[in-house]
């Protein structure tokens, strides 16, 4: 079926004027008429009533229009999406992230540095839920993702580069009574308001510590957040205590207090890509990212 004929039909169904559709489509009026006749012959039904004075849809034409318009919209959208993917493949990289405090502060720095060395290339940022990052990387919807190592276990198709190592900490409002302690145990949080991440934002070790907290602190009040950044904002505004890896918070002692949690689990945070990807652009970005991370650490 000729897609151009379908588009001519939908335009004519709206304008109800061969003259106007000819102008809209940049064709002659006889060409519009011939396209409609060809379409009606192909599908075997009359779509339009027409005479010297008016044009109207038949009942069958009305139904056909209702059915075909969404398909044409999806067809056009598929073309645009394919063009965008091709453009990104040739001249850009796409990075999946979850919006941690570290990422919101660190990503602008590395993107600025990368753009200085690659002025004609683009960086696309895609904010995904934690549980979707790995899947989208494997499907090729991202070139790179920021992720914790425990979320990538048994992923033989992926390559992981560590950016930071750390531990779980309690993030508290600056004026909280527990903020002066050198470290905290889970029992210290027994009667507090605790902000937890929902399951889709939790890598495996985050889920484990949250389950332990819920089992241990039965008297605590719980609040749930959709993102690390939202959890941080709630803490900053004095609405509770959040338990998060120290590396996703970054250097934020000016806004909240960070106190180590007595929970002996080592965590690693970094960036992952597909092992079989052969993009020098992606490799260059990772190299600059690692160098910048080392500079910030020193």
């Amino acid at each position: 079926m000729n897609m151009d004929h379908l588009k001519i039909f939908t335009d004519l169904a709206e304008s109800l004027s061969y003259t106007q559709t000819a102008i809209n489509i940049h064709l002659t009026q006889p060409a519009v008429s011939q396209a409609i006749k060809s379409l009606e012959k192909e599908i075997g039904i009359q779509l339009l009533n027409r005479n010297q004075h008016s044009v109207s849809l038949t009942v069958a034409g009305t139904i056909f229009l209702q059915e075909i318009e969404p398909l044409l919209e999806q067809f056009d959208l598929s073309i645009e999406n394919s063009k965008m993917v091709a453009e990104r493949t040739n001249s850009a990289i796409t990075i999946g992230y979850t919006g941690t405090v570290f990422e919101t502060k660190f990503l602008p720095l590395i993107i600025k540095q990368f753009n200085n060395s690659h002025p004609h290339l683009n960086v696309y940022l895609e904010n995904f839920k934690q549980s979707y990052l790995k899947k989208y990387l494997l499907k090729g919807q991202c070139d790179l993702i920021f992720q914790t190592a425990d979320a990538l276990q048994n992923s033989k198709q992926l390559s992981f580069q560590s950016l930071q190592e750390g531990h779980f900490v309690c993030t508290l409002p600056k004026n909280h009574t527990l903020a002066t302690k050198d470290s905290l145990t889970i029992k210290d949080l027994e009667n507090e308001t605790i902000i937890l991440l929902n399951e889709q934002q939790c890598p495996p070790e985050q889920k484990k510590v949250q389950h332990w907290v819920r089992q241990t602190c039965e008297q605590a009040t719980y609040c749930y957040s959709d993102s690390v950044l939202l959890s941080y904002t709630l803490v900053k505004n004095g609405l509770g205590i959040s338990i998060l890896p120290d590396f996703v918070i970054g250097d934020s002692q000016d806004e909240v207090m960070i106190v180590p949690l007595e929970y002996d689990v080592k965590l690693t945070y970094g960036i992952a890509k597909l092992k079989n990807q052969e993009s020098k652009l992606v490799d260059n970005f990772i190299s600059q990212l690692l160098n910048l991370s080392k500079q910030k650490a020193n």
Side-chain angles (χ1 to χ4, degrees):
M1 187 170 292
N2 191 309
M3 297 298 293
D4 289 335
H5 289 178
L6 291 175
K7 290 182 178 181
I8 291 171
F9 165 70
T10 58
D11 190 282
L12 182 56
E14 180 178 347
S15 71
L16 297 179
S17 166
Y18 280 81
T19 301
Q20 185 60 52
T21 290
I23 295 172
N24 295 343
I25 304 295
H26 305 294
L27 293 173
T28 64
Q29 189 170 325
V32 172
S33 180
Q34 183 58 47
I36 296 300
K37 289 179 182 179
S38 296
L39 179 60
E40 290 178 325
K41 182 178 180 180
E42 182 176 2
I43 63 179
I45 59 174
Q46 183 178 343
L47 298 172
L48 295 160
N49 296 311
R50 56 265 203 192
N51 56 43
Q52 291 182 341
H53 304 291
S54 66
V55 178
S56 63
L57 286 167
T58 64
V59 174
T62 300
I63 299 300
F64 185 72
L65 177 66
Q66 294 172 351
E67 297 289 339
I68 205 66
E69 279 189 317
L71 297 178
L72 289 175
E73 289 177 4
Q74 185 59 50
F75 177 75
D76 290 338
L77 182 61
S78 297
I79 291 176
E80 290 302 315
N81 286 341
S82 298
K83 287 180 179 178
M84 183 174 64
V85 169
E87 179 184 343
R88 290 188 181 189
T89 300
N90 296 325
S91 63
I93 60 174
T94 302
I95 301 169
Y97 74 108
T98 59
T100 67
V101 178
F102 171 84
E103 289 163 359
T104 57
K105 291 186 176 181
F106 195 76
L107 273 172
L109 299 177
I110 181 60
I111 291 172
K112 181 178 180 180
Q113 184 183 96
F114 186 75
N115 284 341
N116 287 337
S117 57
H118 300 79
H120 302 297
L121 299 174
N122 299 311
V123 176
Y124 292 87
L125 300 177
E126 299 282 2
N127 193 331
F128 297 125
K129 289 188 179 297
Q130 173 72 231
S131 59
Y132 295 166
L133 283 173
K134 177 181 170 183
K135 177 177 69 175
Y136 286 155
L137 180 59
L138 290 170
K139 289 173 64 177
Q141 291 180 249
C142 297
D143 299 300
L144 301 166
I145 59 171
F146 284 95
Q147 186 58 284
T148 55
D150 58 294
L152 302 175
Q153 290 177 355
N154 304 317
S155 298
K156 296 181 180 179
Q157 297 170 268
L158 303 181
S159 170
F160 178 79
Q161 291 276 356
S162 173
L163 293 172
Q164 287 187 315
E165 294 185 344
H167 297 83
F168 283 108
V169 295
C170 292
T171 310
L172 306 99
K174 294 200 72 173
N175 60 354
H176 198 285
T177 55
L178 296 176
T180 58
K181 292 202 169 199
D182 293 330
S183 65
L184 293 170
T185 67
I186 293 294
K187 292 300 291 183
D188 289 326
L189 308 179
E190 178 67 38
N191 297 304
E192 302 293 335
T193 297
I194 303 174
I195 301 165
L196 301 178
L197 289 173
N198 69 34
E199 292 287 303
Q200 287 196 328
Q201 286 292 67
C202 292
E205 291 297 341
Q206 182 77 36
K207 287 182 183 179
K208 287 180 184 178
V209 72
Q210 291 193 170
H211 290 168
W212 182 42
V213 169
R214 287 197 298 264
Q215 291 171 359
T216 306
C217 302
E218 296 181 356
Q219 302 303 313
T221 300
Y222 291 99
C223 173
Y224 291 85
S225 164
D226 278 335
S227 70
V228 170
L229 188 57
L230 179 56
S231 295
Y232 176 86
T233 302
L234 292 173
V235 172
K236 185 174 68 172
N237 286 281
L239 299 178
I241 298 171
S242 184
I243 299 172
L244 295 166
D246 52 3
F247 45 68
V248 302
I249 297 299
D251 184 14
S252 304
Q253 294 288 136
D254 56 330
E255 297 181 319
V256 299
M257 294 302 295
I258 299 172
V259 180
L261 177 67
E262 294 181 12
Y263 182 73
D264 191 22
V265 171
K266 184 178 179 181
L267 301 165
T268 305
Y269 173 81
I271 195 159
K273 67 169 186 174
L274 291 172
K275 283 184 178 179
N276 62 1
Q277 75 82 23
E278 298 179 353
S279 169
K280 292 182 178 179
L281 185 64
V282 171
D283 292 338
N284 195 348
F285 185 89
I286 293 175
S287 177
Q288 291 192 31
L289 178 61
L290 293 173
N291 289 334
L292 183 59
S293 179
K294 290 176 182 177
Q295 292 173 16
K296 292 297 178 182
N298 295 331

